[in-house]
Every structure is written in C-alpha cells, then in structure tokens.
Amino acid sequence: MKAEIITIGDEILIGQIVDSNSAFLGKQLNKIGIEVYQITSVQDEEEQIINTLKDASKRVDLIITTGGLGPTKDDLTKKTLCTYFKDELILNKQVLEHIEDIFTKYVSTPILPANKTQAYLPSKSTALFNRYGTAPGMWIEKNQVVYISLPGVPYEMKSLMRDEVIPRLKQRFQTPYIIHKTVVTYGLGESAIADLIEDWEEALPKHIKLAYLPNFGRVRLRLSTRGNHEDQLYEELNQQIDKLHQYIGHIIKGFEDELSLEENIAQLLTQKQLSISTAESCTGGKIASKLSDIPGASAFLKGGLISYATSAKADALGIASEVIDKHSVVSAEITVEMAKKSLAMFHSDLAIATTGNAGPTKGDSKAEIGTVYIALADKQGVNVQKYSFGNQRERVTYKAVNKSLELIYDWIIQKKQ
Amino acid sequence: MKAEIITIGDEILIGQIVDSNSAFLGKQLNKIGIEVYQITSVQDEEEQIINTLKDASKRVDLIITTGGLGPTKDDLTKKTLCTYFKDELILNKQVLEHIEDIFTKYVSTPILPANKTQAYLPSKSTALFNRYGTAPGMWIEKNQVVYISLPGVPYEMKSLMRDEVIPRLKQRFQTPYIIHKTVVTYGLGESAIADLIEDWEEALPKHIKLAYLPNFGRVRLRLSTRGNHEDQLYEELNQQIDKLHQYIGHIIKGFEDELSLEENIAQLLTQKQLSISTAESCTGGKIASKLSDIPGASAFLKGGLISYATSAKADALGIASEVIDKHSVVSAEITVEMAKKSLAMFHSDLAIATTGNAGPTKGDSKAEIGTVYIALADKQGVNVQKYSFGNQRERVTYKAVNKSLELIYDWIIQKKQ
C-alpha cells in the first residue's frame, strides 16, 4: 500500500514557506502501515496539477493533496479536481451551515459570497468535516485509487487527518505494520560508527533497512521493517538492537521514535516530581522554549532567565562587572554563576546555564567563535563543561541546545529519587 | 529557465525530518531568476531516483538533488548518478586532501576507508568544494540539462549553494528577474480582504500573479512578476501596491520579502539604538529566541525572564502570592507586573510580557483556554491587551508570539528618537 503526497502552492516552490505538512502526513500514514512513496510539490497551475495526479495514480494507491482550498481566486484545487474527474461542484448544505456557524461565532466581519463558495464540492466527493476552518476535506475514489484533498493550513490539515482521514483509511484498507526504531548515539561520526558495526550491519536480515542520520552532533541509526505481526516485528528489531549494543553500547543514548528527547525529559521529570529552570545566553531561550512546547510543562518547568547582552549578566544576575571583566562573559565562571542564580531564583531541582559565542563576530567575549560553556547546578553542586561547536552560527546554537538537553537527560537518569 | 529539486532520502518520506533545504533552494534560485517548477522527494532507491531524474530532465533545464552523499551504505546518490550517466567513479585528489585535512583538524577518530570513498566522483562531474564537510557537491551537464548534486546536511548544502553553485549558475545562464513582493496585513480574513480589493485584483495586469497566504492571524498578499528589467519590475509592483493601499491601507503592516518581521525589528532597534527585554509565560522563551536568532542580537536584546510555573511569578518576579491569587495567574495585572519587572531588571527601553492559557487544560489559571494577555512597558508606562487565540495549543502559542512581534514593531515605528 503506497501513497503519494502532492502539495499545491507556489509558496512552497519559491521558498516562502517550509513544507512541514508532508512530514506530519508521512508519520501518520506510516503509523497505519501506509508507505509514502513520493512527495511532489507543484505550482498553483491546473495543467501541472492534473499531470501530477495522473502520474501519481500510476504509482500509488492513495493520493493526498494539500492546499488550494481557500476562498480566493488563487485557490484552484476544487476546480482542478472537477476537470480531472469530469465532475461539477454542488452545494453541500451541512458544510454551508458549518461555515455560517464559524462566522457567527468567531469572525467579526460578515459572511461573503466567497466564503459560501467553500460549501460547493465536487459531486463525486465525500466531504470531510473541518472543525477548525471553513474549507472541508474531500474523499474521492476512482479506479481503485483513493484521492484525499486537505486544506494547507497546518492545524486544519492535522485535525482532519486525525479525526476524519485516519479512521476512514483504517476501515478501507488492510495494511501491514511499518515499524521504525531509531537509536540515538552521541559522540562519534557516521563513518566511525559504520566501521564499528560493520559485522552487525552485514548480518542484518534483508527485510530490515538501516539508515544513518547525522544531525548537529548526533548520529541516529534508523531500523525499519514491515510485516503483518506487530509484536513479532518489534521483537525482531529489539533483538537486533540488543546485538547492536554489544558493538556501540557506550554511545547509545536512547531511542527517538516514541518520544523526542524533550518529551522523554518531560515525562521523567514529571514522574520523578523534579523541576527545572534555565539561564540562557547563547541559546537565547531555546532550551526553555523546547521544554515549554510540551503540554503539561508547567508541572516541571519553573522558568528561566535569558541574559543575552553582557549588561544583563550584571543587571539581572547580579554578577559584579569586575568578575565578568576578569573571566570574560563567555567563561566557565560566569556560566556557573548563571546556573546557581537560576537555581536560587526559581527554587528548582536542576538549573542549566549556557554561555557561548555563536558568531558571526566575537562581540564582547574573548572566547573563540563556536565555544560554548554549559553548566548544571543542583543542590549538590555545579558542573561545567566547555564545548567547541564549529564556526557556523545556526549550528553552534542548535548543537548547544541539543547538548544541553542531553546533559539534562543524563542528570535525570542518574538522579535517585 | 525552470528547475526541479529532488530530495533523496527515506527520512523525509517517513516524516522523520522536515525538508527545509528545498525552501532555501527555492529562495536562492528565485533570486537569480530561476523558477522552481517542482520539488520531488524520493526514497533511497536506485530505480526510483533514476526514473525521477529522467522525468525531471523532460520538464526542466536544471536539476538539483540533495542527500545520499554520506560515507555509509545507505547513501546511493553517486552510484545512481553513475548508472544514470553511464559513468564510473574516479579519485579526485583535491577532495581527498580536503577530507584528510578535516580529519586532522576536527575529528578525534582516525580516517577510515569509508571516508576516503567520498573522494571518488563520477568522471563526468566537476567537484564543488564543500568547506564544511567531507562530501563534495557535483556538477554534470548532459543534453542541455545541468545536474547538480548536493549533500543533505543543511549548513553544508547552504554554503555550497552560496559559494559554488550560485556564482556558476549566474555565469552559465542568462535568466530574467523574478520579483516577489509580499504585503503583510493583520486583522482581516482572506475572504474579507478579497472582497475589499476585488476591483484592484480584477485590474491587475495578467503578468502579475497574486496569492493569498493566511497564517496564524495574518494574511500575506504576494505579488509576483518576471522580466528582463529589474528596476521596471519593481516600479510596476510598487505602483500596484500604492493602489492597494487605497483599498486596505489600514491593515497593511509592512512587507515580508526582504526582511522578516524579526529582522525588521532587529534593524530598527539597532538603528534607533533601542533595547528590548522580555518576560514570557505562555510563550516560554519563544519571543527572545526569535530575536536572538538574528546575528548581532546582542546590540538590542538585553535578556528575558521566563516565568512558566505559577511559583516562578512569585519567586522570580517578586509578585506577592496574594496578588496572584486575587487576579489569577493569567490576567492583565500579572502581565503588567511582569513587563515592569523585566524593564527594571534589564534596564531596557521596551519590555514585552505574555501570560496566557494555551491548553490543553486550564492549569492554575482561571482564564479560558486561548486567552492571552500581552503587555508592553517603557519609561512612559504600560499597556496591556487581552486576546483570544482559539483552542489549539500550538496555534495559541504562535499567534501570541506573532502578535507580540507586531506590537513590538508598532511600538518602534511610533517611537520618536
């Protein structure tokens, strides 16, 4: 069972937006055993959309389009579907009622003819209810291929997938299980890992696929397999991962698929009833922001300090300017002070602090570009480490955030309750 | 002159990563007059890659692939290019020297045979120097089509595009100018805007394309055109935008293409020598983080406070718990206190504070889910506003961040120096 995702809209092709919808769709489809064979992004242009639909219908059994369902003239998807299916638009009264309801409840401007056109759908389609917006999804079948059309607005698309599309796909198709397990490693490059695990990789059964995914100081190893018996697939992958541990157990730091590192941290902190606070300089609030993204974060995230400018270290943290001058603003000493201050200020169990020089210039600091200090403070004391994360601003920042999350995770794991 | 981007790698199709490379490539190519006609994401599978290359070569004049150039066995791009071009891999000594140099300088593990294979390239290709990594880019021409192959690691791909690919493309092709201008509006939905500007839209010349881009409380209107005379194109777009102002001048808040709202804010604050600090609750550090992403942010971003848990408002901000109990933790009063505290703590010219309830549950607050307060404090006083951003966690947070940035921008614009 293969699917193709077709995203419609010039904004993706000219780089005005990043296509995050496709990643969400890929994940959701994989979970119910549907493999995404291809993602194709096309312009708002009838002929190109039709050609792409034709080509895709030869490649796959399921086509999901996103975008082009808005009320304005640049939205061509419904018109194009009518041409493609030799169909016409007819009024769907339930959809119209829903649109009127949204306008009554949430919109301060009156409902317009353009809004009402959103209730007209191809006669061959089944409407999929869009609780968050005025553009319904559509489901059309032809020659054994299922076509689903969804709006491009991410939260509307996501709720339609969860509430309408996935349940119908599960009912409509018998699919195998597609299982991925991703082992996260820190500390070695991909070729060094490949060298260490060569024998293990050679002995992997043909139906298990291995991929190396390097990213900002981590290498993830993804194992993928598929079949009809979920338990058996998991068991087989877990056996392989047990074997893998014999080769590189010292650099394996967990798994990615079920939970992200932040989600793991959130779950562990909540379980252990531990709290955290931050004091961020070069990471500018990104550590706190990542943790706060998790629903229920107020159970463990007390708060944070961002001391970006040098003066903020003196003003907000109360570090004497002579101390800053003596050690330089990017230094082990200042980072330790920041972590201690955050711990005291927020009464947290753990405080993490970062200072660093992400570039492009050295600024007020004496440290080389790429230098980052990370300190962890708890009631027992403070630990600080110096890192060197290269010379590219974005990379330095993200490596610092990733490393900080790893250190937090390690701290929690070692922490006895 | 049309291009197609082909991204190679299962990680995009299974949704493990979001394809941000393509957006970068689209933007860069547009800037030099090359239109991206299609983006195609395919699996790590030789046959599919070859079919996609064949199809793309019929559609476009330039094909850029990303991914699959690593040193491990799942990296198939070079092998596939050899099959496609009926070519073979030969050693490139300069590339080998560069790889050896990287290992000597930056890598603690010894160089391995797998790393050395990265110096073998198709004999028909020209190597493109990758200063940040061991996988060189490649440039191959066949039957009037240019094929460029780049690594998938974003910062390597980006530096290759800037330093190697763009200069060569400019030399190789005569291209027209492609100009986009995006007007950012706040406050009305897309259909209400379409209704107001109907006459203007009808009168737009055929060669100017209009797109509506709604996103978290903003609608952006993108005008696109192309031609050989850059000045003339800009003049024509500006004239149309002047006319547009007569219809919806009251909701136009600026332009997007050259600079993002954050970049605009950064530039204006730096020019006017004004500084900013934050006090974030529901936005969890995202406002500070967005501002700190901009190179040179230490010139205007002093720092910030994140008071996520209710206790942090008492502990870190020194707000008496009776005051919190009286007004509720999500309230105008607490938000005002936070903004004032941040202003005083960081000695900034402007402080912005947010409190809100993003859901999924009400937590400690009495406020409805979706309620957000935003306060702005300066030496003249404090202003606070209440907003209602719907019932979806991610959307509430991002709308709050966007609205905060807009308020900061408005404050700077109105601020006399």
Side-chain angles (χ1 to χ4, degrees), chain B residues 268-275 349 417:
Chain B
L268 285 168
L269 287 173
T270 309
Q271 276 167 9
K272 298 192 173 190
Q273 294 189 296
L274 294 169
S275 65
D349 296 303
Q417 224 168 342

Side-chain angles (χ1 to χ4, degrees), chain A residues 339-355:
Chain A
K340 282 171 155 177
K341 178 80 183 183
S342 180
L343 194 77
M345 194 163 181
F346 294 103
H347 305 293
S348 54
D349 296 304
L350 173 68
I352 186 147
T354 61
T355 67

Side-chain angles (χ1 to χ4, degrees), chain B residues 333-360:
Chain B
E333 289 78 5
I334 300 299
T335 318
V336 164
E337 287 306 310
M338 285 168 60
K340 281 170 150 179
K341 178 80 183 183
S342 179
L343 194 77
M345 194 163 182
F346 294 102
H347 304 293
S348 55
D349 296 303
L350 174 68
I352 187 149
T354 61
T355 68
N357 188 346

Side-chain angles (χ1 to χ4, degrees), chain A residues 35 43 115 191 286 293 304 306, chain B residues 43 115 191 286 293 304 306:
Chain A
E35 171 192 339
Q43 300 182 333
N115 303 117
S191 50
K286 286 193 174 52
D293 278 341
I306 302 161
Chain B
Q43 299 182 333
N115 303 118
S191 50
K286 286 194 173 54
D293 278 341
I306 302 161

Side-chain angles (χ1 to χ4, degrees), chain A residues 96-117:
Chain A
L96 183 62
E97 275 168 32
H98 174 58
I99 294 171
E100 288 170 340
D101 191 46
I102 286 184
F103 267 78
T104 312
K105 280 189 188 149
Y106 301 113
V107 185
S108 54
T109 51
I111 190 165
L112 297 165
N115 303 117
K116 292 188 182 173
T117 63

Side-chain angles (χ1 to χ4, degrees), chain A residues 222-250:
Chain A
R222 188 187 63 232
L223 290 162
S224 306
T225 185
R226 70 183 64 202
N228 292 320
H229 304 284
E230 192 177 12
D231 291 349
Q232 202 178 307
L233 295 171
Y234 271 114
E235 205 188 303
E236 200 185 17
L237 284 191
N238 287 336
Q239 281 170 0
Q240 290 299 338
I241 290 167
D242 284 345
K243 284 189 202 156
L244 184 63
H245 264 275
Q246 298 164 18
Y247 295 85
I248 51 164
H250 60 296

